[in-house]
Amino acid sequence: MFYTIKQVADRFGLPAHTLRYYDKEGLLPFVSRDKNGNRLFSELDLNWIALICCLKNTGMPIKEIKEYSDWCKQGSQKLEERKALLIAHREQVEKQIEEFQKNLALIDTKIATYEDPELVKKMDEQATLALQQLSR
Amino acid sequence: MFYTIKQVADRFGLPAHTLRYYDKEGLLPFVSRDKNGNRLFSELDLNWIALICCLKNTGMPIKEIKEYSDWCKQGSQKLEERKALLIAHREQVEKQIEEFQKNLALIDTKIATYEDPELVKKMDEQATLALQQLSR
DNA sequence: ATAAAGGTTAAAGTTTACTTTAAGTCAAGG
DNA sequence: CCTTGACTTAAAGTAAACTTTAACCTTTAT
């Protein structure tokens, strides 16, 4: 079974031209074509795209994803590099999650100040004060 | 006590011109100046910048941070809007953390395949197969 | 038969968030 | 005195990741 670019685009919630752009950038090395040159996506291609999206959505730049794709195209020659890249990225993702959680905590304390009338009053006074100083 | 732009830049690990850029974009409404026009950052400004960085690092666009800044400049008039914006963003951040965790799980299963010689062999065969089909 | 729907390419344009450059002011140190 | 270093502004330039446009081809429905 094969899928058209439109079907794949819908499945992943991406516009079709973004898939073409990924293809052009070398991120989709395995996609075949029909006799008219139209792309045909297999189940394996869908798995591949899911991984590409995963890497992209966790902040890996297109260039690095392309490097990984290139290594995959070379069969078993670059297995160590591929694994190392994923492990390095995995650590990045973990760090990002930690940082997001820290930032979430800060946002929560800030929201909490908006829930306490006393603190809101203080914030307002501080802002007023700062602006008065500026307008001198 | 006041800090120079350099000191603040070092403290937050940002280049000084990025702070000037934020200022120009209206993200630093409370920063005062010395008689030569040089920026003087107070402790309150440092707290403010910490919040700005927190919002920026969790994916809030500069435009939206500016909107929040503008509301803060207006004192107590926009308290509800400010709180609502933070609560909406808080939800965004939570969603992003969840998505990151899902993606982390996918990366982990992918790494696991590289640790199993059988699965690695299968991957390689699939890639070879796909490329053979393409070169027909 | 012809027009609509969906595919193709190449290339130019857009957005965001800086970054760099150019040109200038000011105060301290040798 | 004059140079060095840190600051100032405005404006142009950059990088990444698309997005849009233009021009074209093929299949399918009326």
Side-chain angles (χ1 to χ4, degrees), chain B residues 52-65:
Chain B
I52 295 309
C53 289
C54 165
L55 296 176
K56 197 210 56 173
N57 292 336
T58 49
M60 188 183 287
I62 300 280
K63 268 189 188 177
E64 204 173 330
I65 302 179

Side-chain angles (χ1 to χ4, degrees), chain A residues 42-106:
Chain A
S42 69
E43 287 296 338
L44 284 177
D45 290 328
L46 296 191
N47 289 347
W48 175 259
I49 292 169
L51 178 62
I52 295 311
C53 289
C54 165
L55 296 177
K56 196 211 58 173
N57 292 337
T58 49
M60 187 182 287
I62 301 280
K63 270 190 188 175
E64 204 173 329
I65 302 180
K66 176 169 167 46
E67 187 162 44
Y68 182 77
S69 303
D70 287 347
W71 286 337
C72 289
K73 253 197 317 202
Q74 297 174 40
S76 53
Q77 296 163 48
K78 300 281 185 176
L79 283 173
E80 278 314 309
E81 287 86 343
R82 285 153 62 182
K83 184 176 163 187
L85 183 146
L86 289 185
I87 288 172
H89 185 62
R90 197 217 116 94
E91 269 175 43
Q92 283 294 311
V93 176
E94 271 202 321
K95 266 187 209 157
Q96 286 184 82
I97 291 175
E98 276 167 37
E99 177 147 350
F100 265 61
Q101 278 164 345
K102 268 186 215 162
N103 284 326
L104 187 61
L106 203 162

Side-chain angles (χ1 to χ4, degrees), chain A residues 29-33 44 50-51 53-55 57-59 68 72-76 79 82-83 86-87 89-90 93-94 96-97 99-101 103-104 106-108 110-111 114-115 120 123-124 126-128 130-131 134, chain B residues 29-33 44 50-51 53-55 57-59 68 72-76 79 82-83 86-87 89-90 93-94 96-97 99-101 103-104 106-108 110-111 114-115 120 123-124 126-128 130-131 134:
Chain A
F30 305 119
V31 178
S32 55
R33 303 287 184 124
L44 284 177
L51 178 62
C53 289
C54 165
L55 296 177
N57 292 337
T58 49
Y68 182 77
C72 289
K73 253 197 317 202
Q74 297 174 40
S76 53
L79 283 173
R82 285 153 62 182
K83 184 176 163 187
L86 289 185
I87 288 172
H89 185 62
R90 197 217 116 94
V93 176
E94 271 202 321
Q96 286 184 82
I97 291 175
E99 177 147 350
F100 265 61
Q101 278 164 345
N103 284 326
L104 187 61
L106 203 162
I107 294 168
D108 277 339
K110 197 70 198 173
I111 291 172
Y114 283 101
E115 255 134 29
V120 167
M123 269 199 293
D124 194 25
Q126 283 181 347
T128 310
L131 284 169
L134 282 183
Chain B
F30 305 118
V31 178
S32 55
R33 303 288 184 123
L44 285 175
L51 178 63
C53 289
C54 165
L55 296 176
N57 292 336
T58 49
Y68 182 77
C72 288
K73 254 198 314 201
Q74 295 174 41
S76 52
L79 282 173
R82 285 153 63 182
K83 185 177 163 186
L86 288 184
I87 287 172
H89 185 62
R90 196 218 117 95
V93 176
E94 269 203 320
Q96 286 185 81
I97 290 174
E99 178 149 347
F100 264 62
Q101 278 163 346
N103 284 326
L104 187 61
L106 204 163
I107 294 168
D108 277 339
K110 196 71 199 173
I111 290 172
Y114 283 101
E115 254 133 31
V120 168
M123 269 199 293
D124 194 27
Q126 284 181 347
T128 309
L131 284 169
L134 281 183

Side-chain angles (χ1 to χ4, degrees), chain B residues 6 20 33 37-39:
Chain B
K6 189 83 191 307
R20 283 191 207 103
R33 303 288 184 123
N38 293 355
R39 289 172 187 80

